[in-house]
Amino acid sequence: MAIGLNIAKIIKFEGPADVLAWKHPAEDFNTSSQLIVHESQEAVLFKNGQAMDVFGPGRHTLDTDNIPLLRRMISIPTGGKTPFHCEVYFINKTDILNVLWGTSQPLPIRDPVYNIILPVRANGQFGLHVADSRLLLKKLTGTTRDMTKGSVAELFKGLLMTEVKTLIANLMTARQVSFLEIHSHLHEISQQIREQVTPMYRQYGMEIVNFFVNSISVPGDDPGYIRIRSALAAAKEKELLARGMKAEMDILGYNYQQKRTFDVLDKAAQNEGAGSGVIGAGIGLGLGVNVGGMVGNAMSGAMETIAKNGAAVPAAALQDGETGRIACPSCGTSLPGNAKFCFECGIKILKSCPKCGTKLKQGAKFCFECGKKLY
């Protein structure tokens, strides 16, 4: 092949592998020149800026028999060696599957769950192939020498980013999907973007083979993202703590309300001078005026559970009439001798007068020293 003043006799593809369209540097051909087109290629012959003919794979001799449209534009003297000035573009018809795309600037999108605007980035790749060689050259290539997959991605970048932002925002808003859950919808988003951009690429002679959104992310140092992560971490910690407490109560065989009742009784027992602290504490915890009955039920339930599980229980706590047991001065329920509260009515069992400190007899309702009414 000769270029410049020499007349080209063999025209073949000599460009890089990742191009969609490549212009042969020679522009002067003999009418007997050989055009070689490889598999998965097409060659388009131009004369005066007009596409004459499209050649498929194989070897082609450039003469007026092979180029009918050219016959009307040039005269071929006897011998058929007269040169003519034309341009040849080679079109890559293979599927180019690794066209990369990505957002150069974060896309501000409001998270519908946490109501925080996040700077969202997205990236991925797509594949395409040339469906109409003439249309591609007419609308995109122009007078440029080649068109690479990178130049195609750059040409459509603005429109592509608009579609990406719109679809991600619409999905998050319409379905109330948080950014933290968006990755489970990547396949759906990819399909929707492909459907939206396919007509656009077809206008320029290209067909989208596939389209993938590989990642949707937010910078780790973004203040809004940090707030969401902190809130979720705190919620997770509370959830784990609650699960641990529930598991402990399931093992012991009582519920949360009973546990809170036991806590109240334990605190009141540690401070005997608090008067009617049981009832006050019960109301403060939302247990209501029936705290006594609830205490009794809680204690009875716990005792029965322990007995069923085979734990050791003192006989004085289960049988009436045993030495050391006392009767509740309010409701008469039989209680262990060391009871501090009645597990039936919840009343505090006084061992000494709260006014003068005199030690009281069992069942006393008045202090025999100062006369104070006890119940």
Side-chain angles (χ1 to χ4, degrees):
M1 178 190 69
I3 302 174
L5 297 177
N6 296 325
I7 305 304
K9 294 185 178 181
I10 298 179
I11 305 102
K12 63 180 180 179
F13 179 80
E14 299 173 358
D18 65 342
V19 295
L20 276 74
W22 179 79
K23 180 183 178 183
H24 196 280
E27 296 181 354
D28 294 318
F29 310 114
N30 283 328
T31 55
S32 60
S33 297
Q34 300 296 302
L35 174 63
I36 300 175
V37 183
H38 296 157
E39 290 288 343
S40 302
Q41 285 185 344
E42 283 184 348
V44 182
L45 183 66
F46 277 76
K47 174 66 176 178
N48 296 331
Q50 181 180 354
M52 295 290 98
D53 283 284
V54 179
F55 298 87
R59 179 185 287 267
H60 307 274
T61 300
L62 297 182
D63 56 38
T64 54
D65 291 334
N66 290 334
I67 315 174
L69 294 178
L70 191 62
R71 183 181 302 165
R72 300 194 300 268
M73 304 185 67
I74 61 174
S75 58
I76 307 297
T78 304
K81 298 295 182 180
T82 302
F84 57 92
H85 183 80
C86 287
E87 299 172 337
V88 175
Y89 281 89
F90 288 89
I91 307 300
N92 186 354
K93 299 288 287 185
T94 61
D95 292 345
I96 300 178
L97 303 178
N98 59 341
V99 183
L100 302 179
W101 64 270
T103 54
S104 56
Q105 298 294 330
L107 308 174
I109 298 178
R110 181 180 296 277
D111 190 297
V113 176
Y114 301 100
N115 198 30
I116 295 178
I117 296 179
L118 298 173
V120 175
R121 294 181 181 273
N123 64 76
Q125 67 183 63
F126 64 95
L128 56 81
H129 74 264
V130 178
D132 190 327
S133 300
R134 290 175 182 266
L135 194 57
L136 175 72
L137 294 173
K138 177 182 177 181
K139 288 199 170 186
L140 284 184
T141 305
T143 58
T144 59
R145 185 161 296 279
D146 57 39
M147 174 177 289
T148 65
K149 63 181 182 181
S151 62
V152 170
E154 191 65 28
L155 285 172
F156 292 93
K157 183 176 182 179
L159 185 56
L160 185 59
M161 291 305 99
T162 299
E163 295 295 337
V164 169
K165 177 182 178 181
T166 301
L167 286 172
I168 293 177
N170 287 346
L171 184 142
M172 292 175 64
T173 302
R175 301 191 182 182
Q176 294 295 294
V177 175
S178 169
F179 161 76
L180 301 177
E181 302 170 347
I182 198 68
H183 284 83
S184 62
H185 299 269
L186 289 185
H187 179 72
E188 179 182 357
I189 295 174
S190 299
Q191 291 297 109
Q192 290 184 6
I193 295 178
R194 178 183 178 181
E195 293 175 3
Q196 292 294 325
V197 302
T198 291
M200 172 187 67
Y201 279 88
R202 284 177 178 169
Q203 294 178 18
Y204 296 91
M206 291 176 287
E207 190 74 27
I208 297 295
V209 177
N210 53 47
F211 193 98
F212 300 105
V213 179
N214 293 337
S215 175
I216 299 177
S217 61
V218 169
D221 58 352
D222 176 69
Y225 184 49
I226 293 175
R227 287 176 58 192
I228 293 177
R229 286 190 305 174
S230 300
L232 290 177
K236 187 65 176 178
E237 183 177 355
K238 290 181 180 179
E239 179 184 356
L240 293 175
L241 182 61
R243 287 182 180 179
M245 184 179 296
K246 182 179 183 302
E248 179 183 358
M249 290 188 293
D250 288 343
I251 293 173
L252 295 178
Y254 56 85
N255 58 32
Y256 179 76
Q257 190 176 44
Q258 290 173 328
K259 180 181 184 304
R260 296 297 292 159
T261 303
F262 295 153
D263 291 342
V264 171
L265 294 177
D266 183 59
K267 291 180 180 179
Q270 296 175 16
N271 186 11
E272 294 188 9
S276 57
V278 176
I279 302 300
I283 295 175
L285 290 169
L287 300 180
V289 294
N290 293 324
V291 63
M294 293 177 61
V295 172
N297 293 336
M299 292 292 292
S300 298
M303 299 291 280
E304 291 176 3
T305 300
I306 295 173
K308 290 179 181 179
N309 292 335
V313 180
L318 298 177
Q319 301 177 10
D320 292 333
E322 293 290 332
T323 303
R325 297 189 66 80
I326 61 175
C328 174
S330 176
C331 66
T333 300
S334 178
L335 304 172
N338 59 349
K340 296 181 179 180
F341 296 90
C342 175
F343 57 72
E344 181 63 30
C345 66
I347 196 170
K348 184 177 182 180
I349 306 301
L350 298 176
K351 303 296 177 61
S352 60
C353 176
K355 181 177 180 181
C356 66
T358 301
K359 187 176 181 180
L360 302 174
K361 295 182 179 180
Q362 176 183 344
K365 296 185 178 181
F366 294 88
C367 176
F368 63 85
E369 181 65 28
C370 65
K372 178 178 174 57
K373 184 176 180 180
L374 304 175
Y375 300 100

